[in-house]
């Protein structure tokens, strides 16, 4: 039995990179020509020159807040804010509303969200029944996984959310092999089945998403006979990365290009460093270029032991938008980045907010290159920049290079809320 969904998964890394970079240049040109939003965002960019990661890194990051703002401003004439290249009709089978609301299109292509790859890696096969417990109401979650199940050749039971007893009855009688949905609801189903005696013995695998599934919970499921695999997908991008039997991070989907940038900036971090996950999708229907997900992750070295050769990420590691209110003022990660840019000696900076409510204390911890400007003078200059940019006074602590945690945090809220 072929262990791979298709031949793309085992391409030589150099071949994949060359093919993706060639596709990237075409996608930028397509976005400029057919997406009014990106025609404006990428105005003046020579698409043919965007054929490397270095060239991609020079383009601006478009974050969800910007996408939402454009949609809200243009909703009367274009619900997608100029980002979609589809028009209503046969080419657009559905459109969805995510919280915001943010509207997303679904194209008519087979496995539009590309989740078949994730389900196949989790052991889902043609002829099996999938119990799909993602919501079918307004949001695309259920359809994202349903399209992948159909691509693999599975039949889908559209369970949706809630009605636990009825879902258990259906599972006991229809005998699904697989589950798709949130891990928390799967746990509820298994625990309720244990209480009531409902037979879930047919269920042996699951693809979960929408929330974190820590290793302890994965182990809990395994003890009860269900192998659970995580996916990272969004309503904007479709599948970004998926877990394999190796359980070593998440393998990137073949139609996305992923960067990790320092939160609050457009700048890629050093390899292995935690930062914001930025994704460029090669989907022509919704050609998002350098889309900031707002989620933290990091790249992993090497290839997946299963033989899949695409790069891997650690998975979801928290949120990148660490905006914090201090003494009644909002402080943003971009402001910390602005402070760091003023001083070439700074390698990395982390703003720590401590104290108790109504008694906030601010300390900018800075990894600085040794030598150069005198230590005390540098500290005073950085403190002045903190006041200038944030309008708040704070201490500055110079620390040795490499001593700040590699967790992607630019602003750490260490206050006591007792």
């Amino acid at each position: 039995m072929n262990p791979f969904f298709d031949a793309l998964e085992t391409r030589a890394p150099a071949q994949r990179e060359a093919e993706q970079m060639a596709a990237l240049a075409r996608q930028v040109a397509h976005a400029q020509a057919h997406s009014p939003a990106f025609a404006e965002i990428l105005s003046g960019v020579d698409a043919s020159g965007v054929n490397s990661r270095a060239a991609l890194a020079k383009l601006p990051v478009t974050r969800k807040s910007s996408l939402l703002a454009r949609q809200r401003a243009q909703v009367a004439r274009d619900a997608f804010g100029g980002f979609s290249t589809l028009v209503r009709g046969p080419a657009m089978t559905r459109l969805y509303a995510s919280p915001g609301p943010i509207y997303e299109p679904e194209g008519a292509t087979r496995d539009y969200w590309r989740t078949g790859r994730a389900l196949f890696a989790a052991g889902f096969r043609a002829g099996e029944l999938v119990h799909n417990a993602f919501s079918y109401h307004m949001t695309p979650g259920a359809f994202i996984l349903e399209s992948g199940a159909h691509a693999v050749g599975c039949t889908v039971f559209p369970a949706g959310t809630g009605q636990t007893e009825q879902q258990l009855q259906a599972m006991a009688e229809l005998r699904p092999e697989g589950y798709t949905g949130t891990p928390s609801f799967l746990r509820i189903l298994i625990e309720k089945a244990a209480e009531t005696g409902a037979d879930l013995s047919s269920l042996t695998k699951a693809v979960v998403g929408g929330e974190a599934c820590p290793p302890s919970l994965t182990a809990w499921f395994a003890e009860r006979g269900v192998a659970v695999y995580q996916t990272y997908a969004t309503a904007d991008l479709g599948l970004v990365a998926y877990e394999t039997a190796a359980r070593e991070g998440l393998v990137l989907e073949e139609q996305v290009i992923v960067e990790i940038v320092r939160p609050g900036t457009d700048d890629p971090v050093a390899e292995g460093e935690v930062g914001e996950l930025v994704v460029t999708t090669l989907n022509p229907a919704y050609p998002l270029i350098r889309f900031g997900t707002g989620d933290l992750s990091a790249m992993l070295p090497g290839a997946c032991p299963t033989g899949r050769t695409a790069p891997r990420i650690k998975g979801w590691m928290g949120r990148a938008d660490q905006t914090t209110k201090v003494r009644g003022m909002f402080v943003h990660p971009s402001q910390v980045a602005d402070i760091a840019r003023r001083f070439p000696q700074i390698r990395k900076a982390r703003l720590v907010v401590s104290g108790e409510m109504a008694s906030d204390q601010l300390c900018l911890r800075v990894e600085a290159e040794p030598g150069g400007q005198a230590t005390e003078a540098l500290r005073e200059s950085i403190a002045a920049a903190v006041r200038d940019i944030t309008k708040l006074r704070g201490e500055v602590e110079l620390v040795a290079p490499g001593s700040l945690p590699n967790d992607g945090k630019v602003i750490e809220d260490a206050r006591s809320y007792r």
Side-chain angles (χ1 to χ4, degrees), residues 271-355:
E271 188 172 354
E273 189 173 337
V274 177
E276 182 183 5
L277 193 71
V278 170
V279 181
T280 296
T281 174
L282 300 178
N283 174 12
Y286 206 43
L288 297 178
I289 310 294
R290 296 202 89 197
F291 183 71
T293 63
D295 292 325
L296 294 174
S297 194
M299 302 299 297
L300 289 173
C304 179
T306 63
R308 294 170 175 84
T309 56
R312 296 173 298 154
I313 58 174
K314 286 187 177 180
W316 186 81
M317 300 177 70
R319 291 293 294 167
D321 185 4
Q322 300 149 28
T323 297
T324 304
K325 183 174 279 189
V326 182
R327 303 172 202 159
M329 300 279 289
F330 281 109
V331 181
H332 305 274
S334 58
Q335 292 175 301
V336 179
D338 289 342
I339 294 167
R341 287 193 192 97
R342 292 191 178 187
F343 302 92
Q345 303 96 322
I346 294 180
R347 287 186 176 182
K348 193 175 181 179
R350 182 187 186 99
L351 189 67
V352 180
V353 187
S354 59

Side-chain angles (χ1 to χ4, degrees), residues 6-53:
D6 59 28
L8 295 178
E9 294 182 357
T10 55
R11 286 182 289 180
Q15 178 189 358
R16 175 181 293 104
E17 186 74 1
E19 291 174 352
Q20 285 191 340
M21 292 304 108
L24 171 63
R26 295 193 296 270
Q27 181 75 325
V28 171
H30 172 75
Q32 289 174 317
H34 301 285
S35 161
F38 278 108
E40 180 181 337
I41 294 168
L42 303 179
S43 176
V45 172
D46 178 7
S48 64
V50 187
N51 56 5
S52 68
R53 290 183 180 269

Side-chain angles (χ1 to χ4, degrees), residues 5 26 205 418:
F5 185 67
R26 295 193 296 270
K205 55 209 168 195
R418 291 177 299 176

Side-chain angles (χ1 to χ4, degrees), residues 173-387:
E173 294 177 351
L174 297 177
R175 311 286 292 168
E177 289 86 356
Y179 164 95
T180 52
T182 63
S184 59
F185 189 61
L186 177 58
R187 180 164 187 163
I188 288 171
L189 289 171
I190 292 174
E191 289 178 335
K192 191 68 174 179
E195 291 176 13
T196 62
D199 183 6
L200 296 189
S201 59
S202 66
L203 191 67
T204 60
K205 55 209 168 195
V207 166
V208 299
E211 59 192 28
C213 185
S216 58
L217 184 53
T218 299
W220 186 91
F221 288 126
E223 290 169 0
R224 288 151 182 82
V226 182
V228 169
Y229 296 83
Q230 297 185 71
T231 57
Y232 179 79
T234 76
D236 315 281
L237 299 162
L239 181 67
V240 175
Y242 59 98
E243 192 171 22
T244 72
R247 308 289 185 182
E248 295 184 12
L250 304 183
V251 177
L252 296 185
E253 208 280 314
E254 297 293 333
Q255 297 300 313
V256 298
I257 299 169
V258 166
E259 305 166 272
I260 307 293
V261 308
R262 194 169 306 287
T265 78
D266 296 352
D267 307 324
V269 301
E271 188 172 354
E273 189 173 337
V274 177
E276 182 183 5
L277 193 71
V278 170
V279 181
T280 296
T281 174
L282 300 178
N283 174 12
Y286 206 43
L288 297 178
I289 310 294
R290 296 202 89 197
F291 183 71
T293 63
D295 292 325
L296 294 174
S297 194
M299 302 299 297
L300 289 173
C304 179
T306 63
R308 294 170 175 84
T309 56
R312 296 173 298 154
I313 58 174
K314 286 187 177 180
W316 186 81
M317 300 177 70
R319 291 293 294 167
D321 185 4
Q322 300 149 28
T323 297
T324 304
K325 183 174 279 189
V326 182
R327 303 172 202 159
M329 300 279 289
F330 281 109
V331 181
H332 305 274
S334 58
Q335 292 175 301
V336 179
D338 289 342
I339 294 167
R341 287 193 192 97
R342 292 191 178 187
F343 302 92
Q345 303 96 322
I346 294 180
R347 287 186 176 182
K348 193 175 181 179
R350 182 187 186 99
L351 189 67
V352 180
V353 187
S354 59
E356 297 182 357
M357 291 297 290
S359 182
D360 299 331
Q361 299 170 25
L362 216 62
C363 179
L364 185 68
R365 304 189 71 211
V366 171
E367 289 184 10
E369 293 282 0
Q373 192 174 355
T375 300
E376 190 57 35
L378 176 60
R379 194 192 331 268
E380 291 177 359
S381 296
I382 296 174
V386 171
R387 291 193 301 273

